[in-house]
Amino acid sequence: MKRFLLLLRSIRRTQGEGPESERTSGERRVMTDGGTSEKRSTFQRWLDSDIVQSAPFWLPPFLLMGFFVYAAIGWNFLLSLTEYSGFGDPDYSNLGLQNYWAMLDDPGMWAATRNTFVLLVGFTVVCLIVGLLLALLLDREIRFSRSFRTIYLLPFALSFIVTAQFWRWMYNVNNGIINQFIGVFGLGPYSWLGSPKLVLGAVIFALVWQFSGYTMIIYLAALRSIPNDQYEAARADGASTVRMYWRVIIPQLRPAMVSATVTLVLFALKAFDFLYATFDGYRPRRGADILATKMVRESFGRSEWAYGSSIALMLFVLSLGVITPYLYNQYKRGNL
Amino acid sequence: MAETQLDDVRKVFTETDGNEIVAVNDVSIDIEDGEFLVLVGPSGCGKSTTLRMIAGLETISDGDIRLDDRVINDVPAKDRDIAMVFQSYALYPHMTVRENMAFGLEESTDLSDDEIAARVEETAEMMGIDPLLDRKPEELSGGQQQRVALGRAIVREPAVFLMDEPLSNLDAKLRAQMRTELQQLQEQLETTTVYVTHDQTEAMTMGDRIAILNDGELQQVGTPLECYHEPANVFVADFIGEPAMNFFDVTRRDADGDGAVLVNETLEYTVSADISTAIGDRDDLVLGVRPEDISIERSEGDQRRADGHTVPASVTVVEPTGDENIVYLDLGADRSERIIATIDGMSQVEAGDRVVVHVPEDAVHVFDGETNEALHNRRVESNEPRVPNV
């Protein structure tokens, strides 16, 4: 506290505010000019440095973030090394990697990892493609493009709880609209959310429906920033419409594609809430279990706290794996 | 290489509220094979729209555009065998210079990769951009980008080059240099070129012929010197030449013999029989004279020469450019009329001087005040045309 006051005083001094500080700074100058001034100590210089001077602004959020985010991650890692389960307190005296070895032997773990990757890749790729096609169509100045834009973006504005409920009704085996519709063509009915073969695809489809509007908006923003000359130059160069988009326009959407991909992948890694709402809990049908649901189930369903923590850490490492290349890329381009 | 004809070409834009705007109004120009034609006019005159219609980037509301007698109104841009250079250069930012230049050949021809590569190298060497081939556009200076944009058009060896103000993003010195270079290049390639600019200096110095447009209407097509010395109307006379021609609204009064006197409040200008005949019985007239045709003589007080071609004036501003002085003068006792004269850079004139302005009769233009059409143009010695001062 004392140091903080000192700091405030030094800030006031550098700002030259108030009659008192004016006098002191005046005195100091006289002394330096006279050649008899005291030498400023290292400590004094440290107090006057930018990082200390600006500490009142960055330090509080730094401490809060550090404690609630990074310390929590650290504690989570510590927990994953224990054998903490059931009631009681964790025992930190005997740490080891046994939970991570157990993961290797857990077939449920492998299934959840596989499903996570299928969801991640399938959802991201399909979303990017559908969003791109929608954006390209809307960018061609069609009629009512504003209305279409709103319509396509609307699902993204809805809560997962709401959209999950929609899709549960639509996927219903007996009277869901999807089975009714394909029934017209003599197909089905299929148990979309019940069959282990179909459930992951059905979930991905619903998520794509909700998220492609978002990708579309990101692409549209990038498309709008491409000058008209680029289209005309490509046409004058003899390119057909398809070739023009393929070779000139879409390559210029790369930065938009990268940032959309990062957002989508990070979402897919923790698509917990959607599954929770779809299956009314963290026990998805076989075939749709992902790491996030398994983590919650192990921890809060079975009270295997340490095992749950180690799954959480796996998810964390996977997320880092996605975001690190992106951050590195941004850093290299000087955007960070 | 091809002959290009515009035949009563018209472009009408319809606004959302149903208003129709005529951007190009029945323009007809025959562009000869290998010709360098400059479309010039103030902004919004329809010159870019005309170019874009030739390129196929804009539909044609009415009329025909023909390339070697083939009507190409409905031929899509990619099949027209044209290459275009844009004001913004429109280089593809994600491709290297080499890829930029190869793109047009890859899309519009069946050449093999080796042939394309060879042509790109050859053209790059000719344009002096071969060291830049593996760079991206963002790594190039404005001048280099401009060169690449030109190279990208040239490598296609098209029937027609279309250029939309390609030099206007360069600084003044580089622009002058590229102007010369472009002209040499076009002469060497002998490719028909349509060049759009708002800069009359570019138009005068580069074009084999220039076409002057205003408000979507073609004002005049002719060689630069024709347009300079024999402008078809007040607009052309005013637009071509820098500083612009001086104009006086005058009325006609009969004089002794066959001549006439053109008068307004500050001016009484005697003209001889042939000008008088050209005027006929029109009364509302515009007298025009180019700044460099005006001579300034020192004077004491208000004296006039007997030929009726002088008027007293006072100097208000002198702008020395080195080789010449641009002199702003107020005419008459009440200083109601302002004119500009360019005189030799060595002559000593200062603001505030009282002078006499002499306007030789063989240098004046007379226009109809109602239609703005030229009635009489200055005399030009046909075998030895004056070099215009632009």
Side-chain angles (χ1 to χ4, degrees), chain A residues 227-241 243-244 247-249 251-252, chain B residues 52 56-57 77-78 82 84 86 88 90-95 103-104 106-108 152 156:
Chain A
N228 218 11
D229 286 354
Q230 293 281 322
Y231 296 84
E232 295 183 341
R235 277 165 67 195
D237 264 347
S240 63
T241 305
R243 299 278 297 168
M244 171 181 83
R247 293 200 58 193
V248 176
I249 303 304
Q252 295 190 43
Chain B
R52 291 164 54 81
L57 300 172
K78 67 188 183 72
I82 47 110
M84 189 153 169
F86 293 81
S88 65
L91 298 175
Y92 310 124
H94 56 291
M95 298 185 193
F103 182 80
E106 287 164 2
E107 293 299 325
S108 63
R152 186 172 73 173
R156 301 252 328 267

Side-chain angles (χ1 to χ4, degrees), chain A residues 20-307:
Chain A
E20 198 183 343
S21 63
E22 256 169 36
R23 202 190 56 218
T24 38
S25 67
E27 273 169 17
R28 277 157 64 96
R29 193 165 56 237
V30 170
M31 283 194 290
T32 5
D33 287 347
T36 55
S37 71
E38 79 236 281
K39 257 208 169 141
R40 283 165 76 220
S41 66
T42 326
F43 177 68
Q44 191 72 40
R45 265 210 304 270
W46 180 75
L47 269 187
D48 282 345
S49 66
D50 278 350
I51 190 135
V52 176
Q53 295 273 328
S54 57
F57 302 99
W58 60 261
L59 195 60
F62 182 79
L63 290 177
L64 290 173
M65 282 289 285
F67 183 74
F68 287 111
V69 177
Y70 298 100
I73 292 172
W75 190 33
N76 184 84
F77 176 63
L78 204 61
L79 268 184
S80 74
L81 299 178
T82 66
E83 306 225 7
Y84 184 31
S85 72
F87 297 106
D89 291 319
D91 170 19
Y92 294 113
S93 60
N94 187 17
L95 301 179
L97 291 171
Q98 65 279 8
N99 281 318
Y100 295 93
W101 300 126
M103 261 195 252
L104 293 177
D105 291 333
D106 181 356
M109 187 67 200
W110 285 108
T113 311
R114 201 206 63 197
N115 289 342
T116 305
F117 271 101
V118 172
L119 179 75
L120 191 116
V121 174
F123 163 72
T124 308
V125 169
V126 177
C127 239
L128 286 175
I129 293 171
V130 173
L132 178 64
L133 292 178
L134 287 179
L136 292 181
L137 286 177
L138 280 191
D139 195 49
R140 291 194 63 98
E141 300 198 352
I142 54 166
R143 254 162 209 265
F144 314 120
S145 66
R146 267 163 205 271
S147 319
F148 279 120
R149 203 162 64 206
T150 315
I151 289 170
Y152 293 144
L153 191 61
L154 200 61
F156 189 65
L158 295 175
S159 154
F160 292 118
I161 310 299
V162 177
T163 54
Q165 193 61 46
F166 280 168
W167 283 100
R168 266 177 79 176
W169 288 332
M170 291 200 284
Y171 279 142
N172 188 295
V173 187
N174 301 315
N175 47 21
I177 191 167
I178 293 182
N179 276 338
Q180 301 265 339
F181 177 74
I182 61 171
V184 173
F185 303 99
L187 297 169
Y190 296 110
S191 171
W192 295 106
L193 294 178
S195 153
K197 280 185 184 153
L198 294 177
V199 63
L200 196 57
V203 167
I204 290 175
F205 187 86
L207 285 173
V208 166
W209 170 81
Q210 184 158 16
F211 271 82
S212 47
Y214 165 75
T215 7
M216 173 199 76
I217 287 292
I218 294 196
Y219 280 127
L220 255 184
L223 276 172
R224 291 282 148 89
S225 71
I226 296 177
N228 218 11
D229 286 354
Q230 293 281 322
Y231 296 84
E232 295 183 341
R235 277 165 67 195
D237 264 347
S240 63
T241 305
V242 175
R243 299 278 297 168
M244 171 181 83
Y245 274 112
W246 183 246
R247 293 200 58 193
V248 176
I249 303 304
I250 294 178
Q252 295 190 43
L253 298 178
R254 208 176 140 262
M257 198 176 299
V258 170
S259 54
T261 306
V262 169
T263 321
L264 292 175
V265 165
L266 287 183
F267 170 79
L269 277 174
K270 50 194 173 85
F272 173 78
D273 35 10
F274 189 85
L275 290 170
Y276 188 90
T278 309
F279 298 103
D280 246 349
Y282 38 71
R283 287 173 215 284
R285 294 292 183 287
R286 212 154 58 78
D289 195 20
I290 63 169
L291 285 174
T293 46
K294 184 165 172 68
M295 167 185 79
V296 176
R297 195 168 60 245
E298 293 290 346
S299 309
F300 299 99
R302 301 176 54 211
S303 296
E304 291 287 350
W305 307 109
Y307 194 50

Side-chain angles (χ1 to χ4, degrees), chain B residues 38 65-66 87 182 185 198 215 241 275 298:
Chain B
V38 178
I65 294 181
R66 281 192 291 272
Q87 181 178 357
L182 239 175
L185 215 59
H198 63 269
D215 277 341
I275 297 185
R298 289 191 173 281

